[in-house]
Amino acid sequence: MKWANVRLFAWHFWHNATKPRTFYLLYLIFLLLAAYAAVSGIQNHIAQNDIRKFHQEKARQSWEANPDKHPHRMAHFGTFAFRVNPPLGMFDHGLESFTGNTVFLEAHRQNSVNFSDATFSTGTLRFGELSIALLLQLVLPLILFFIGFSGIAADRENGTLKIVLSQGANWLEMILGKSLGLCGVALLFVAPILLVVIVVLIGYGAEVESDLLWLRLLIIGLGYMLFLFIVSTVAIIVSASSNTPKNALLRLLGIWLLLVVLLPKSAQALGNYWYPTPSKLAFQSAIEKEKIQTGDSHNPDDPFYNQLRDSVLAVHKVSEVTDLPFNYSGFVMREGEKISSELYKKHHADLLDIYESQNNITRFLALVNPYMAIKQLSMTFSGTDFSSYVDFQEQADTYRYQLSQKMNELQMVYISPKKKSGSEGKTHVVGHEHWEEFPDFHHRPMAFGNSFKAALPALVSMIVWLLFIFWLMMFTSKKAKAI
Amino acid sequence: MKYRLFLYQCLRSKEVRISLLLITVLGIIGIVIGNRQLARQQEAIAEVKAYQEQHFERHVSLHNDDLGLLLYYVKFAFINPSNPLAGLSIGQADVNPVVKRITIKTFEAQKYDTDLVNPMNLQSGNLDLSFVLIFLLPLLAIVLTFNVISEETETGTWRLVAIQAKSKLGFILAKLSVRLLLLFGILVVLFVIAKLVLDIPLDANFLLLFVLTLLYVTFWFALSFFVISFKKSSGFNALLLLSIWLVMIVLLPAGINAYVSFKYPVPEALSAAIAQRDGYHTKWDMDKLATLKKFYAHYPQFREYGYPTEGFNWLWYYAMQQMGDDDSREEQAALLAKIKLREQTSRSMASLLPNMHVQLVFNQLAGTSSEQHIDFLNATEAFHEKLRLYFYPRIFEGDKAETIDWEQFVPEYHQTNTIIKPLWAIMPLLLATAFMALLSIPGARRL
């Protein structure tokens, strides 16, 4: 294989593809769309984060404004955890619109994460969301197919293919060269977009923290290049193995529809079919059932709590809970919180396992579908994928647990042991300085290492695809016929 | 005779046969998926019906003496039953819960609680029949029509047609109508399967859904005719039609959606949530008298229970809970107004875009639109209010739980209103088709 020939093919293809006026029209439309997507993405990112930040502060202000009161009242006063939109969320919206934004955190109750954009949408959201990522994943491959379908098939139809091959070029040089040429065209589309993303990130992105932002962007950028190279090569290979350009176009469109629309949708539908999500009632009542079995702090005759009380009394060598050196109700609540949180965590982990099983079909189909691989990769490194959402949920629940236990401990220490119950009004209170002492919820971005782990299947399948595409090039170049 | 030849000619192409088969198979898969969704909702409803009774029994036995405490725990189910058409157009039914279980405490805190949903499923969307009809059927229409004229010129038969056919336009229209009827035939098959599998009654809504689908396909044929009447090459027609498909089906709706959510963000949702929390929780350390006065201002009929301000009592407790709703009224109203605004904006934009319009009408007919979900939430609120008014006096009286007939509290059903004006549903499609036909007149004359 002569590199000079490859270069010649690449340059020639690039030159031919970018010469016609229709190309510039297409290019202009794409750039305008990208600009619209970028502007709305940036504005949405800024507006959403402003809204969430404002409300996080507002919720905090009213938390701190509480007077001296019984700590259990504060445990139920609770607070809110607002999800922060990661900087790269303006580039790839991922699951942002489908995951809730905020969760109310209170003692012994795990509330759902509510107010996703999907719940406030008319249903038109399901047509898709306009983001720069969507343009790169869905529209650009189609454009590359439109440009590349006649790459070799047209030469075959008008007879120039024979001439070119008889003049010393070989098939591999031609396929690789034209693929690189088409990939060069793709670069024309990608470069300005990445440039804009970089500029915007420098301008606005720095306001929201993100773990290793630039490395994330680098991986995403390289991922898209690889993806577009794969797409370009597929276009040229299909063109090389089709008799007429029309056939090549039809096949490419079939491939696009299969990879971009049908496979992803059916993969998720299949996962949903095979691993059904339990109903909320089944989920909640399973937890409730187990809670009753281990011990129900609300039941006065509960054997578990009676035993707990007796052992605590024995250790402190007293006969009544009011003689203990600490507030017993606070102690019971602390133990109860520990048990119920563990239980919830266990069941929630099971639920997440079901979701993971559903999503795994999509994840494994990435091995045969580079579109799904780049989609996963892009979402994950942008911090808008499923794992980032779970990460937020866990942060919020950990904070909820700490808050409840802190309040229970305040109750144990500061509320008179003589007092059994009653948490209203101005008696049996703890100083309000404790409210300020407890730090506010702060949504930390997902660690890069975790994103990397989540994206590993996608990364592997991208590399497998790269190897496969080179093999396919070799294979086609041996099989292809000039006529 | 002519028509049979046309049909034969159309079915000769491998691409056409594969795509016809594909759309039928996908349509059936869509119906199966919709059926599964309906079955799951039925299971959830059956579950809650079986569960509610034992749920009451357990809590009544635990807290028989303390009705106030009992009502802190017990949840009452309110059900939004899906109609069989929801299996055709799942719409928002995947994100919005079918069953709401509520306590008589602050409603606002329970209103927007979601079901267990996997966001990845929501993002990929449902592969129901409405998806196949709205997204994929136009592609089939394109495959069937893009070369109807160009094929004749490319194979050199156009001259023969020009000489022999009485009217060239008539010839092309006949070719097109054969293809259109072929598609109609497939649709009839799919709708019959759907009717049988999902057990859909043959009512006006089902008929309207079917008619809308036929009109939608006709619109795409009209659009295609406009494009091919320029007598460009097959490749060019295919490219242009697919670009139109991409813009209409993917880019425009996505753009409209981006516009709506960016133009009307809903910070009101978060403000309402905070106002609701503060409305209830801050009352714990406020003057009891003030809370009770506020409560009686809302419910003067309960004044007789007086102003007990010593120690804890349930009257005051539920008055505080009530304040969670009452004190957040303003924010709630703002939120609802914002949601309405979003609805209206996307609806009016959608009426210009056949695919979006059809999707919204489908959801309306199936009872799975977001508007109908808001209706359900409002009905849930009324159900909640009914419970409150029933239990408040009994709690305040200090009744025992056993004096209440718990069997009357079976899960209640909401009646979804799916009636829409057929003319309103059909008009945008008729207008769009007529518009395309009008645009095609010059091209048709040149044929």
Side-chain angles (χ1 to χ4, degrees):
Chain A
M1 189 172 71
K2 284 197 213 95
W3 277 106
N5 282 354
V6 175
R7 260 206 307 276
L8 195 63
F9 274 119
W11 188 84
H12 188 249
F13 185 94
W14 190 86
H15 186 74
N16 275 352
T18 53
K19 215 169 52 183
R21 272 221 306 271
T22 45
F23 172 80
Y24 285 99
L25 187 68
L26 203 61
Y27 192 57
L28 189 71
I29 293 174
F30 185 85
L31 287 188
L32 285 176
L33 268 172
Y36 179 68
V39 169
S40 70
I42 294 162
Q43 276 176 330
N44 195 46
H45 167 82
I46 295 174
Q48 281 299 326
N49 275 343
D50 283 351
I51 288 170
R52 294 176 200 177
K53 203 170 133 212
F54 172 79
H55 285 92
Q56 187 82 60
E57 281 163 12
K58 199 167 144 190
R60 177 66 180 181
Q61 274 164 14
S62 63
W63 163 271
E64 286 182 5
N66 275 287
D68 300 353
K69 63 157 86 174
H70 192 286
H72 192 58
R73 292 272 52 87
M74 283 307 275
H76 276 293
F77 188 86
T79 188
F80 292 85
F82 292 93
R83 210 159 45 87
V84 175
N85 184 255
L88 282 167
M90 55 180 122
F91 164 76
D92 189 340
H93 302 337
L95 300 177
E96 279 293 299
S97 301
F98 304 95
T99 55
N101 295 322
T102 173
V103 52
F104 177 52
L105 308 171
E106 61 177 321
H108 41 249
R109 189 171 297 140
Q110 285 81 1
N111 296 307
S112 60
V113 186
N114 291 340
F115 306 128
S116 70
D117 215 46
T119 52
F120 293 131
S121 147
T122 39
T124 54
L125 186 61
R126 312 308 170 83
F127 280 95
E129 270 185 293
L130 192 63
S131 70
I132 306 177
L134 174 107
L135 293 177
L136 291 183
Q137 290 167 10
L138 211 122
V139 181
L140 189 50
L142 203 57
I143 292 179
L144 292 181
F145 283 174
F146 285 169
I147 296 173
F149 76 96
S150 59
I152 291 178
D155 292 347
R156 171 178 286 127
E157 205 179 39
N158 60 30
T160 47
L161 186 61
K162 269 187 293 185
I163 301 170
V164 170
L165 284 170
S166 65
Q167 280 178 344
N170 74 27
W171 270 104
L172 190 62
E173 287 162 359
M174 179 161 33
I175 294 177
L176 182 63
K178 294 203 173 195
S179 301
L180 288 174
L182 186 53
C183 194
V185 176
L187 266 183
L188 279 183
F189 287 84
V190 179
I193 285 185
L194 284 182
L195 208 66
V196 168
V197 173
I198 290 170
V199 169
V200 169
L201 282 181
I202 293 172
Y204 303 100
E207 286 174 19
V208 179
E209 56 184 316
S210 172
D211 194 20
L212 295 175
L213 177 66
W214 297 105
L215 184 56
R216 282 167 187 269
L217 186 63
L218 182 69
I219 295 176
I220 290 174
L222 289 175
Y224 276 105
M225 306 273 198
L226 187 54
F227 170 67
L228 293 171
F229 175 69
I230 293 169
V231 169
S232 306
T233 316
V234 166
I236 297 301
I237 287 176
V238 169
S239 183
S241 47
S242 302
N243 296 330
T244 60
K246 196 187 113 191
N247 275 347
L249 180 64
L250 282 178
R251 282 185 197 177
L252 284 170
L253 291 173
I255 291 175
W256 182 84
L257 193 68
L258 188 73
L259 297 189
V260 172
V261 183
L262 292 180
L263 267 182
K265 233 178 160 65
S266 22
Q268 205 61 36
L270 222 59
N272 202 12
Y273 196 91
W274 278 338
Y275 306 97
T277 310
S279 70
K280 195 173 188 181
L281 173 65
F283 177 74
Q284 284 174 336
S285 62
I287 297 177
E288 195 188 74
K289 217 187 223 164
E290 250 186 87
K291 206 189 279 180
I292 295 167
Q293 276 164 5
T294 36
D296 180 4
S297 59
H298 292 299
N299 180 355
D301 302 319
D302 187 86
F304 176 82
Y305 282 97
N306 284 348
Q307 210 188 347
L308 181 72
R309 183 189 58 213
D310 294 342
S311 61
V312 171
L313 292 178
V315 168
H316 289 274
K317 299 191 179 66
V318 291
S319 57
E320 285 297 323
V321 290
T322 45
D323 297 332
L324 286 170
F326 52 84
N327 181 287
Y328 183 69
S329 304
F331 174 77
V332 167
M333 246 156 343
R334 194 180 70 178
E335 294 307 300
E337 186 71 59
K338 213 183 277 172
I339 294 169
S340 61
S341 293
E342 282 304 314
L343 261 177
Y344 178 83
K345 261 197 197 143
K346 196 185 87 186
H347 284 267
H348 191 245
D350 290 346
L351 180 68
L352 288 182
D353 279 347
I354 294 177
Y355 289 165
E356 290 290 356
S357 313
Q358 293 175 351
N359 301 345
N360 274 343
I361 312 246
T362 300
R363 213 166 286 159
F364 287 127
L365 269 178
L367 279 174
V368 297
N369 185 348
Y371 162 75
M372 267 141 112
I374 188 63
K375 195 175 161 190
Q376 288 286 330
L377 186 107
S378 167
M379 263 199 305
T380 309
F381 282 109
S382 295
T384 53
D385 69 325
F386 185 71
S387 65
S388 323
Y389 172 61
V390 174
D391 188 62
F392 163 74
Q393 269 188 322
E394 274 164 11
Q395 285 182 35
D397 196 59
T398 305
Y399 180 85
R400 187 200 68 77
Y401 184 72
Q402 286 163 350
L403 185 139
S404 317
Q405 293 304 53
K406 178 73 188 170
M407 295 303 129
N408 289 334
E409 273 151 29
L410 287 175
Q411 181 172 352
M412 281 175 69
V413 176
Y414 291 104
I415 302 294
S416 157
K418 306 286 174 224
K419 178 81 179 71
K420 264 187 182 164
S421 63
S423 52
E424 86 272 21
K426 304 256 187 293
T427 49
H428 309 295
V429 295
V430 170
H432 64 268
E433 64 279 4
H434 291 289
W435 317 151
E436 276 166 57
E437 273 168 22
F438 193 76
D440 192 11
F441 174 78
H442 172 68
H443 180 198
R444 292 177 312 281
M446 183 146 122
F448 178 81
N450 293 341
S451 294
F452 191 81
K453 236 182 275 166
L456 207 55
L459 277 169
V460 168
S461 66
M462 294 291 283
I463 290 164
V464 171
W465 260 94
L466 186 65
L467 297 175
F468 174 69
I469 215 76
F470 277 116
W471 175 83
L472 201 63
M473 249 192 260
M474 306 282 224
F475 181 80
T476 320
S477 63
K478 281 190 193 114
K479 289 269 167 184
K481 293 189 179 66
I483 309 164
Chain B
M1 188 57 206
K2 180 170 90 175
Y3 287 91
R4 198 189 299 165
L5 271 177
F6 282 149
L7 184 67
Y8 175 72
Q9 183 199 25
C10 161
L11 287 176
R12 210 173 41 190
S13 145
K14 199 171 72 184
E15 288 86 17
V16 167
R17 286 198 310 262
I18 291 177
S19 1
L20 288 176
L21 185 71
L22 196 67
I23 207 94
T24 317
V25 171
L26 284 168
I28 292 172
I29 291 176
I31 293 167
V32 171
I33 286 175
N35 193 32
R36 173 75 167 199
Q37 173 84 8
L38 284 183
R40 222 175 270 166
Q41 288 173 358
Q42 288 308 321
E43 281 163 31
I45 292 172
E47 246 172 28
V48 78
K49 281 170 90 175
Y51 177 82
Q52 182 142 314
E53 204 176 325
Q54 69 177 68
H55 171 70
F56 286 157
E57 259 171 38
R58 177 179 138 72
H59 285 287
V60 168
S61 72
L62 275 179
H63 313 291
N64 181 31
D65 294 337
D66 198 343
L67 193 59
L69 187 61
L70 174 68
L71 284 159
Y72 176 89
Y73 291 111
V74 289
K75 287 181 173 172
F76 302 86
F78 191 60
I79 298 168
N80 189 12
S82 18
N83 88 46
L85 281 183
L88 287 189
S89 186
I90 298 174
Q92 290 284 92
D94 55 352
V95 62
N96 294 326
V98 185
V99 178
K100 282 220 117 341
R101 294 174 66 231
I102 52 169
T103 69
I104 70 163
K105 292 180 287 184
T106 311
F107 180 63
E108 190 58 22
Q110 316 171 56
K111 193 172 179 181
Y112 296 105
D113 275 354
T114 56
D115 244 341
L116 304 178
V117 280
N118 178 355
M120 288 274 284
N121 289 348
L122 295 182
Q123 191 205 29
S124 80
N126 290 299
L127 187 68
D128 54 3
L129 188 62
S130 76
F131 170 78
V132 176
L133 297 180
I134 294 168
F135 284 73
L136 304 182
L137 206 55
L139 284 175
L140 188 56
I142 292 172
V143 169
L144 287 177
T145 55
F146 78 101
N147 60 358
V148 161
I149 298 175
S150 51
E151 179 186 50
E152 303 280 351
T153 43
E154 277 155 24
T155 54
T157 45
W158 187 243
R159 281 160 192 270
L160 285 176
V161 172
I163 298 165
Q164 292 176 341
K166 260 182 261 157
S167 135
K168 283 180 275 181
L169 178 64
F171 176 80
I172 294 301
L173 286 182
K175 267 181 96 175
L176 282 176
S177 57
V178 165
R179 285 157 173 78
L180 188 61
L181 287 175
L182 186 66
L183 265 193
F184 281 4
I186 287 181
L187 286 175
V188 168
V189 171
L190 281 178
F191 272 82
V192 166
I193 295 174
K195 191 237 159 332
L196 296 176
V197 172
L198 301 172
D199 201 17
I200 303 169
L202 281 174
D203 59 7
N205 280 354
F206 185 56
L207 194 70
L208 184 54
L209 219 145
F210 181 64
V211 169
L212 272 169
T213 310
L214 299 187
L215 284 173
Y216 180 62
V217 179
T218 314
F219 162 76
W220 278 96
F221 267 74
L223 191 143
S224 187
F225 178 73
F226 169 67
V227 169
I228 61 177
S229 67
F230 287 97
K231 294 213 270 186
K232 299 273 189 197
S233 72
S234 298
F236 180 85
N237 289 344
L239 272 184
L240 187 57
L241 282 167
L242 279 160
S243 307
I244 293 173
W245 177 84
L246 185 74
V247 170
M248 271 185 63
I249 300 266
V250 181
L251 294 177
L252 275 178
I256 289 174
N257 201 65
Y259 169 79
V260 169
S261 58
F262 136 74
K263 181 96 195 266
Y264 306 110
V266 277
E268 291 84 359
L270 310 183
S271 309
I274 294 177
Q276 169 276 126
R277 171 193 72 166
D278 291 0
Y280 155 51
H281 287 279
T282 54
K283 304 293 184 292
W284 279 91
D285 16 64
M286 284 184 186
D287 184 19
K288 282 182 184 157
L289 199 65
T291 305
L292 288 172
K293 275 185 179 158
K294 260 182 149 177
F295 180 64
Y296 290 144
H298 187 149
Y299 293 115
Q301 68 265 45
F302 297 133
R303 268 210 188 103
E304 52 178 301
Y305 296 106
Y307 299 87
T309 51
E310 282 309 302
F312 178 86
N313 66 75
W314 288 115
L315 170 58
W316 168 61
Y317 177 80
Y318 283 104
M320 287 195 291
Q321 288 285 356
Q322 181 81 44
M323 293 310 121
D325 285 337
D326 288 7
D327 288 4
S328 58
R329 281 276 168 241
E330 222 171 278
E331 286 82 357
Q332 288 176 45
L335 172 60
L336 276 182
K338 194 57 104 33
I339 295 175
K340 277 240 167 67
L341 207 59
R342 279 186 150 206
E343 282 261 356
Q344 277 162 3
T345 314
S346 33
R347 196 174 291 275
S348 53
M349 286 176 142
S351 57
L352 293 174
L353 208 57
N355 46 313
M356 275 180 95
H357 173 76
V358 169
Q359 176 80 76
L360 290 179
V361 177
F362 272 19
N363 289 351
Q364 281 264 310
L365 289 169
T368 55
S369 73
S370 62
E371 201 182 358
Q372 282 150 321
H373 184 68
I374 297 285
D375 287 346
F376 172 59
L377 288 183
N378 290 337
T380 315
E381 192 167 10
F383 172 72
H384 181 263
E385 182 71 5
K386 198 175 73 180
L387 288 170
R388 259 179 180 164
L389 290 178
Y390 179 83
F391 282 110
Y392 274 169
R394 285 163 181 81
I395 296 170
F396 304 158
E397 295 278 1
D399 281 359
K400 286 194 177 221
E402 63 197 15
T403 60
I404 287 166
D405 171 24
W406 290 94
E407 275 174 21
Q408 64 174 299
F409 295 107
V410 286
E412 282 187 27
Y413 287 85
H414 166 64
Q415 190 72 43
T416 311
N417 176 21
T418 58
I419 299 164
I420 54 176
K421 289 190 205 99
L423 200 64
W424 169 83
I426 288 173
M427 205 39 107
L429 283 175
L430 285 180
L431 287 177
T433 312
F435 178 66
M436 289 321 306
L438 217 64
L439 278 186
S440 312
I441 290 177
R445 283 214 183 119
R446 272 200 313 270
L447 270 179

